[in-house]
Amino acid sequence: MGFMKNVSKEIIPIVFAVNDSFAAYCYVAIFSLWKHTSPCYQYEVFIASTDLSNANQEKLEGLSRDGFHVSIIDATEYIKKSDLREIHHLSVETYFRLFIPLFLPQYSKVLYLDSDICIMADVAELYCTDLEGMAVGAVPEVPRKNIVVHCNEIGISNSKNAFNAGVLLIDTVMFERLEVRKKCLAELEKDYGHKERKMIYADQDALNIVMQNNVKLLDGRWNYNTCFARRPHVIFEEYRNDYLNTQNHVGIAHFCGQDKLWMYPEEELAQEFWKYAKDTPYFYDILSASLGRSKGLVFEKYCFPYDAIEHNSRIVIYGAGKVGKVFHQHLEMTHYAEEVMWVDKEWKNVDAALGVVSPERIETIDFDYILLAAEWQEVAEEMREELIGMGISREKIVWKRYLKMKT
């Protein structure tokens, strides 16, 4: 059954650009976007790509709901004559934001969003910002020494006006009138001629050069660069408190750079990402990638029962065999739930360093769930009956068929 578009509502057009390798994170971003929508608007989400697989297209377009529509734009024809080159961790998709007025000429204003974000407020508020005649609206870069140095290297005189292009509010008419795309591509072509490229942030640098005097600076809450929460000391002292205080009312959390927040589950805003990620069809793919190749392989075999255990709940792991060790390691790395105790009947034969204790100790603590770390159902049923005999509620005892079946 199709979803209805209410043309009587104001339309908010939003563009993402993504390839197959980043489709999962784009899905989480769009899912978080939908979670903060208002019934007062019609949200039209467009995903620009050149090589998105049919499976990823179906999943992403499957996010469509009443008042919220997702569709794919094939960017191939628009970019084929342009020389777009990857640099560092930035793929060619980063340049697609320059072509938005060509993708969507029917809209006079469009919101562009990077895919490495988590949305924590209704973007309608951001979209309705008055650009005051400027071609773009953007959030200033976090003020720090390396930004000042970089701006000097690429010819930007006032680093205080340098902006991060991960969130852009674009006046498409003014953007075209000023030939912003043409000028940016010319700047990039000049940079390609250098022995070592100076424009290390690709089209973001080009946009900053071209738009130095034509950008509406937006509130930092709409593009909160999370990586500096781990190293606030690099921020200029006079701006540091403003940055840290913004964390209390973030509208869009942006996981800039190569070190993404989903790699740091202990960080405060990481839980916002995982809160949405766990409800997406990409969850296990994201989790495996985040845990890293060396440790992630162990999680390929057993599925943690996320649908039965709530986030941040207090759990007891019963069983210190291979399943129990997997889930113990899993919780240590993801911080999805708090492991308050780990028990096993043979606890005396388990490495003491693991802290495994007797099941009798369960009665001494408060918990939300007991996770039966048994691979086979008959073993789990014996454990369940034992716990019920101890007076523990059946509803608090969790077991599922964790073993992934080969297909």
Side-chain angles (χ1 to χ4, degrees):
M1 187 176 77
F3 294 96
M4 298 296 292
K5 295 183 184 181
N6 191 330
V7 294
S8 65
K9 296 180 181 180
E10 181 178 357
I11 295 175
I12 299 179
I14 304 158
V15 175
F16 292 84
V18 73
N19 55 31
D20 272 329
S21 66
F22 224 75
Y25 306 102
C26 184
Y27 190 106
V28 177
I30 297 173
F31 185 61
S32 69
L33 168 65
W34 169 69
K35 284 289 189 176
H36 293 92
T37 53
S38 164
C40 299
Y41 300 94
Q42 170 72 34
Y43 299 80
E44 290 292 325
V45 180
F46 301 91
I47 301 170
S49 185
T50 58
D51 65 348
L52 210 54
S53 70
N54 289 336
N56 281 327
Q57 288 188 44
E58 289 176 8
K59 287 178 182 177
L60 289 162
E61 290 182 331
L63 280 162
S64 295
R65 290 152 172 79
D66 289 344
F68 189 87
H69 185 253
V70 182
S71 57
I72 308 297
I73 295 175
D74 186 347
T76 306
E77 287 300 310
Y78 299 98
I79 68 166
K80 65 180 182 181
K81 295 182 180 179
S82 301
D83 186 8
L84 309 178
R85 304 184 189 181
E86 295 182 357
I87 181 170
H88 302 314
H89 66 287
L90 301 174
S91 66
V92 295
E93 282 75 22
T94 185
Y95 301 98
F96 290 2
R97 53 194 157 196
L98 299 176
F99 297 82
I100 286 174
L102 297 183
F103 297 159
L104 303 171
Q106 67 271 38
Y107 297 114
S108 60
K109 186 163 68 171
V110 174
L111 178 61
Y112 165 81
L113 301 174
D114 272 355
S115 295
D116 55 345
I117 62 170
C118 183
I119 295 169
M120 301 164 62
D122 188 358
V123 298
E125 179 185 346
L126 170 60
Y127 181 80
C128 292
T129 301
D130 184 357
L131 289 177
E132 301 176 359
M134 302 296 186
V136 298
V139 171
E141 277 281 10
V142 176
R144 58 198 191 276
K145 183 179 178 180
N146 70 324
I147 282 296
V148 174
V149 172
H150 181 63
C151 285
N152 288 334
E153 287 179 346
I154 63 175
I156 296 175
S157 57
N158 187 359
S159 63
K160 291 182 179 179
N161 288 338
F163 57 88
N164 183 287
V167 175
L168 288 178
L169 189 56
I170 302 172
D171 181 325
T172 58
V173 176
M174 185 65 69
F175 196 91
E176 291 297 278
R177 185 179 299 163
L178 296 177
E179 298 184 314
V180 175
R181 178 176 54 263
K182 178 180 178 181
K183 293 174 182 176
C184 285
L185 292 175
E187 291 291 340
L188 288 163
E189 187 175 358
K190 286 192 293 184
D191 190 59
Y192 295 157
H194 295 145
K195 185 176 181 180
E196 185 174 340
R197 288 175 64 176
K198 294 183 178 181
M199 293 166 62
I200 58 175
Y201 299 118
D203 62 313
Q204 175 174 293
D205 281 339
L207 282 164
N208 269 281
I209 293 170
V210 172
M211 307 300 293
Q212 288 185 63
N213 301 309
N214 202 337
V215 58
K216 165 75 173 178
L217 297 179
L218 306 175
D219 191 299
R221 69 185 291 259
W222 291 114
N223 189 350
Y224 184 78
N225 188 331
T226 61
C227 73
F228 297 106
R230 299 192 298 275
R231 46 194 179 99
H233 61 278
V234 305
I235 304 172
F236 289 142
E237 187 174 0
E238 61 267 37
Y239 298 98
R240 197 173 298 153
N241 284 339
D242 285 344
Y243 169 85
L244 294 172
N245 290 335
T246 299
Q247 191 174 89
N248 298 321
H249 57 280
V250 174
I252 298 176
H254 188 181
F255 316 137
C256 295
Q258 292 175 285
D259 296 330
K260 302 303 184 185
L261 197 63
W262 48 79
M263 304 297 294
Y264 296 88
E266 72 279 7
E267 297 293 337
E268 185 172 344
L269 286 176
Q271 65 183 348
E272 292 295 325
F273 172 83
W274 290 109
K275 179 172 69 176
Y276 300 111
K278 71 182 181 64
D279 291 329
T280 75
Y282 290 101
F283 178 67
Y284 293 110
D285 295 331
I286 294 172
L287 187 59
S288 180
S290 297
L291 293 172
R293 184 170 296 176
S294 61
K295 294 183 178 179
L297 291 176
V298 73
F299 302 111
E300 295 292 334
K301 188 173 182 181
Y302 301 109
C303 297
F304 189 89
Y306 289 95
D307 56 339
I309 292 179
E310 295 182 10
H311 185 223
N312 289 330
S313 56
R314 294 164 56 84
I315 71 171
V316 175
I317 296 178
Y318 189 173
K322 55 185 176 181
V323 180
K325 289 175 180 176
V326 165
F327 288 162
H328 171 75
Q329 183 185 12
H330 185 108
L331 292 175
E332 277 195 330
M333 299 187 71
T334 66
H335 294 233
Y336 176 81
E338 180 185 1
E339 180 190 314
V340 295
M341 187 174 284
W342 191 5
V343 304
D344 191 285
K345 281 185 177 181
E346 303 296 327
W347 63 278
K348 291 182 179 180
N349 298 325
V350 179
D351 184 352
L354 294 177
V356 179
V357 297
S358 168
E360 295 175 357
R361 296 276 299 277
I362 293 174
E363 297 177 331
T364 67
I365 60 164
D366 293 325
F367 60 89
D368 298 307
Y369 303 99
I370 296 180
L371 177 58
L372 303 183
E375 187 166 314
W376 307 111
Q377 185 172 0
E378 55 269 28
V379 178
E381 287 302 328
E382 290 178 9
M383 297 164 73
R384 190 193 308 274
E385 292 307 313
E386 174 195 347
L387 292 169
I388 292 173
M390 294 169 59
I392 295 170
S393 170
R394 182 180 293 271
E395 286 68 35
K396 287 191 170 187
I397 303 171
V398 174
W399 182 83
K400 302 193 73 173
R401 193 172 297 280
Y402 311 121
L403 187 64
K404 292 186 180 181
M405 303 301 292
K406 293 183 178 180
T407 57

